[in-house]
Amino acid sequence: MSNQREQADMFLKQMESFANEMKKAIGLPIIPEPKSGAQLWYDQREITLKFLISVEKIKKFFHEGLAQGKLLATRCKKCGRIFFPPQVDCPYCKTSDMEWIELPKEGELVTYTIITTRPYSFGHYPDYTVGVVKLKNGVQVTAWIRETDPKKLRVGMPVKLEIVKREPEGYLTYEFVPVEEE
Amino acid sequence: MTRNVAIVGTGHSKFGNRYDVNIAELAWEAIKQALEEAGVEQKDVEFVSFSNVGGWSSEGLASVVTLEYAGLTGAELYRVEAACASGSAAIKAAHDAIASGQADIAMAIGVEKMNESPTPTVIEFIGRAGNFFWEFQNFGLTFPGYYALYATRYLAEYGATEEDLCRVAVKNHYYASVNPKAQFQMPITVEKCMKSRYIAWPLKLFDCSPITDGAAAVVLASEEMAKKLTDSPVWIESIGVSSGTSNLSRRDDFLHLEAGTIAANRAYKKAGLSRDDIVRHVDVAEVHDCFTIAEILAYEDLGFAKRGEGYQLIRNEETYKGGKIPVNLSGGLKAKGHPLGATGISMAVDLTRQLQGRVEKERQADIKVGRALAHNIGGTGHYAYVTLYSLSKPRR
């Protein structure tokens, strides 16, 4: 069975080849919707959405954090608040006097879900588990949990942070792995 | 000094897969009804707040496209966005325009054409409705996934079961089956729901609202204007609004939606009501049941049940017609359908008709105190709107 992204691509390809035949036959990309038979115009324009997102101010998170095997957060030097995801401004003190700190790796699973029906751009992965983990210092982090069997997951279970390479894209990110319990 | 605002006209399209119409034609179905009910002409409408989330549909400015089609061009126009609560935000904006004396007649129009894109694309767009960079980019959360995080924690904490979640679906499918405007027209059973496949564990297919095309519209008027237009106005008694963090990792717990709780408290305070006995002061409610767990959270956030006891309301069938507090007699988002931009306005339309005693007999609530409640959440508690509608004119 092909993955969900391929299925979605295939669906549109079928509609497109149908529309192309209609263009040849009647000069119009109009096709009947499979269930209702209602006439649909097959869009003749297409765009790719790909964003260029600034990480200039939080570049340490990547170069001194993930690339060095660490998950970093920021802390306001004035009030001591820890920010994860990292912010370079403390809105409460209205200061930008922040320091980078490494987050602890140990935590417990607060909640989780196993995603089986996936977004288009995640359609090429097998089912994945997303969880929220409370780290030892109380900071909560959302990430994948490396376990997709609901019987082996439970609220409150201990987990450990790992910096991993996400494949097939091949970029550094972070995820949690269940810790063997005594 | 603010002025009273009344709903004087309502319109609602058939919800579902509407491949038979484009976005403006779909919106017109609701606009035409609302104008005719109110007995006003397009030229009388001074202000329009237009609710459309979009992304999945082709018209980037569906607002101006629709107003042109509907002969409303020239009205003061805003498009509002509050994710799945956009419709309630549009009502708030139109309400405020009248309450502040800037307009005497205004419309809130909501429309969504979600089926213009393939399902995985729609899932992608809604999945991005949280924090794109930190929670979607790497981890691919979906809308069912966000609410599943709440469901997992809720079930673990309070001992509610997946069957309890399905009981919400069964109720809402039943009422949808007697609402001709609803997307789903077939009742379901707990067994059928329990056998459906997982979408985002522990939420299954029948725990989830569908992808829907639909439109709804209301005409609002000032007190003076309402008196001229209708003998049976429905008043907007109060509106409470709040917001929540984009990152779910920054939520305190996964047992309630703080924004929904605050919005409810603000709405109750403005109306002089207490959350402790709110069920005695409301005849019927429409709550945001994009997923079954969301309806149970809403019971608790609104004060219909104590924390941790919401699931018992549905287990004991207290939210059916004739129960302690009837909820989602329209079929709710779950089974009437959830065209994001139209949803909040659809709630207003249905509750107006409930208060006026003119919905289908099988789903008509007993109207005793003359007050209805709409609870509309944007995203996963990212936005929250609680609106009270009343047959009695509010005292200012």
Side-chain angles (χ1 to χ4, degrees):
Chain A
M1 180 153 139
S2 59
N3 70 47
Q4 288 176 10
R5 186 148 96 187
E6 285 165 357
Q7 286 171 29
D9 289 342
M10 210 183 304
F11 168 76
L12 272 187
K13 255 203 178 86
Q14 281 168 358
M15 302 285 265
E16 185 172 15
S17 60
F18 201 174
N20 287 341
E21 278 175 35
M22 292 306 287
K23 282 194 280 188
K24 270 185 226 154
I26 60 166
L28 291 165
I30 293 178
I31 53 176
E33 194 273 324
K35 277 184 195 153
S36 64
Q39 301 265 295
L40 299 177
W41 177 273
Y42 185 83
D43 195 351
Q44 298 297 293
R45 307 292 156 207
E46 193 171 332
I47 58 166
T48 302
L49 276 182
K50 184 70 90 175
F51 299 112
L52 303 171
I53 302 160
S54 177
V55 292
E56 169 61 25
K57 290 202 166 183
I58 54 164
K59 58 192 172 196
K60 278 192 178 178
F61 176 84
F62 301 96
H63 301 300
E64 292 174 28
L66 295 185
Q68 311 296 322
K70 297 176 203 167
L71 188 67
L72 301 184
T74 53
R75 183 164 60 197
C76 173
K77 286 189 186 170
K78 196 168 173 200
C79 69
R81 274 191 185 84
I82 298 174
F83 292 90
F84 186 86
Q87 293 192 192
V88 294
D89 305 291
C90 175
Y92 307 103
C93 301
K94 299 180 183 68
T95 176
S96 306
D97 194 13
M98 312 287 279
E99 59 190 344
W100 286 89
I101 59 164
E102 184 182 353
L103 290 173
K105 291 202 159 51
E106 297 76 26
E108 63 169 54
L109 191 55
V110 174
T111 189
Y112 57 93
T113 178
I114 304 156
I115 308 289
T116 42
T117 296
R118 302 187 283 284
Y120 177 81
S121 67
F122 283 73
H124 58 301
Y125 297 115
D127 293 356
Y128 49 87
T129 300
V130 188
V132 177
V133 169
K134 183 172 267 189
L135 299 174
K136 281 268 185 291
N137 64 352
V139 171
Q140 293 192 149
V141 175
T142 301
W144 278 10
I145 314 295
R146 199 186 300 157
E147 177 58 68
T148 53
D149 180 354
K151 292 189 193 71
K152 294 181 181 162
L153 290 160
R154 68 172 174 82
V155 165
M157 73 189 283
V159 292
K160 196 162 192 288
L161 182 91
E162 279 187 18
I163 307 301
V164 295
K165 205 160 232 190
R166 172 68 60 79
E167 303 295 353
E169 290 83 4
Y171 74 98
L172 290 171
T173 185
Y174 46 97
E175 68 181 42
F176 290 96
V177 286
V179 176
E180 291 297 323
E181 291 178 85
E182 304 279 304
Chain B
M1 196 61 195
T2 63
R3 307 194 296 171
N4 282 323
V5 180
I7 295 178
V8 296
T10 61
H12 202 289
S13 81
K14 165 78 179 165
F15 280 10
N17 298 322
R18 296 298 310 272
Y19 292 110
D20 57 321
V21 282
N22 68 27
I23 200 162
E25 292 161 352
L26 180 58
W28 174 245
E29 292 179 13
I31 295 167
K32 176 170 179 269
Q33 255 182 56
L35 289 170
E36 285 177 353
E37 267 192 19
V40 300
E41 295 299 324
Q42 284 90 333
K43 64 174 170 45
D44 304 322
V45 178
E46 297 156 286
F47 179 103
V48 176
S49 47
F50 194 93
S51 164
N52 173 247
V53 176
W56 34 65
S57 50
S58 54
E59 291 295 351
L61 299 183
S63 47
V64 292
V65 172
T66 299
L67 262 60
E68 176 188 322
Y69 188 89
L72 281 160
T73 298
E76 181 173 339
L77 172 65
Y78 303 89
R79 172 193 174 184
V80 300
E81 186 281 313
C84 318
S86 299
S88 291
I91 289 173
K92 175 75 161 63
H95 166 275
D96 290 355
I98 293 172
S100 63
Q102 296 173 70
D104 290 317
I105 297 179
M107 285 189 84
I109 302 168
V111 64
E112 211 71 58
K113 199 84 185 9
M114 301 177 76
N115 283 297
E116 279 190 13
S117 286
T119 298
T121 309
V122 177
I123 294 170
E124 174 105 16
F125 270 112
I126 314 184
R128 291 174 178 220
N131 192 289
F132 172 75
F133 189 70
W134 292 99
E135 293 192 335
F136 185 86
Q137 173 83 199
N138 295 319
F139 309 122
L141 268 162
T142 59
F143 196 33
Y146 289 115
Y147 271 96
L149 293 175
Y150 280 82
T152 299
R153 184 77 197 196
Y154 187 95
L155 298 188
E157 193 81 14
Y158 296 133
T161 63
E162 290 180 45
E163 282 86 351
D164 291 325
L165 300 181
C166 280
R167 286 184 178 99
V168 173
V170 169
K171 171 177 69 71
N172 295 352
H173 272 263
Y174 167 70
Y175 287 118
S177 76
V178 290
N179 177 3
K181 300 285 188 206
Q183 180 160 0
F184 294 135
Q185 295 290 319
M186 290 290 284
I188 60 162
T189 61
V190 169
E191 293 70 36
K192 181 168 181 174
C193 173
M194 285 298 289
K195 277 187 194 149
S196 63
R197 67 189 161 87
Y198 284 107
I199 299 292
W201 190 94
L203 298 181
K204 294 175 280 298
L205 182 66
F206 279 103
D207 287 306
C208 303
S209 56
I211 291 170
T212 308
D213 307 321
V218 287
V219 177
L220 305 182
S222 63
E223 182 173 340
E224 200 178 319
M225 191 61 73
K227 271 184 196 155
K228 292 180 195 160
L229 292 170
T230 179
D231 295 331
S232 55
V234 166
W235 302 94
I236 297 178
E237 187 179 14
S238 79
I239 308 176
V241 187
S242 187
S243 53
T245 63
S246 72
N247 280 287
L248 291 204
S249 63
R250 286 195 165 130
R251 300 293 171 84
D252 287 343
D253 64 38
F254 291 85
L255 299 170
H256 80 294
L257 294 176
E258 182 68 7
T261 308
I262 294 172
N265 289 344
R266 287 177 180 166
Y268 298 163
K269 191 177 175 194
K270 280 184 208 166
L273 298 169
S274 155
R275 65 183 287 122
D276 299 330
D277 63 346
I278 192 67
V279 294
R280 292 203 295 116
H281 298 282
V282 175
D283 292 313
V284 59
E286 287 285 311
V287 311
H288 200 86
D289 60 328
C290 48
F291 302 96
T292 51
I293 181 66
E295 178 163 323
I296 292 175
L297 295 177
Y299 295 163
E300 298 180 17
D301 292 343
L302 291 165
F304 296 173
K306 293 199 182 94
R307 294 273 173 231
E309 295 178 6
Y311 72 93
Q312 290 175 14
L313 272 189
I314 186 67
R315 204 181 267 187
N316 299 326
E317 304 192 345
E318 298 278 20
T319 48
Y320 278 80
K321 179 183 154 175
K324 188 173 161 194
I325 173 80
V327 173
N328 287 336
L329 302 189
S330 69
L333 285 59
K334 172 65 205 74
K336 178 183 58 183
H338 181 25
L340 274 65
T343 287
I345 299 171
S346 166
M347 288 176 169
V349 170
D350 210 69
L351 291 174
T352 297
R353 295 173 180 180
Q354 278 280 358
L355 287 172
Q356 293 168 338
R358 57 188 179 105
V359 306
E360 293 73 17
K361 186 166 58 65
E362 299 90 332
R363 63 184 197 91
Q364 174 67 55
D366 297 329
I367 303 302
K368 291 170 191 157
V369 295
R371 183 184 286 112
L373 181 153
H375 161 272
N376 192 192
I377 298 291
T380 317
H382 294 107
Y383 302 89
Y385 286 76
V386 173
T387 309
L388 294 170
Y389 297 100
S390 175
L391 288 175
S392 313
K393 194 174 75 180
R395 286 186 299 270
R396 296 281 168 185

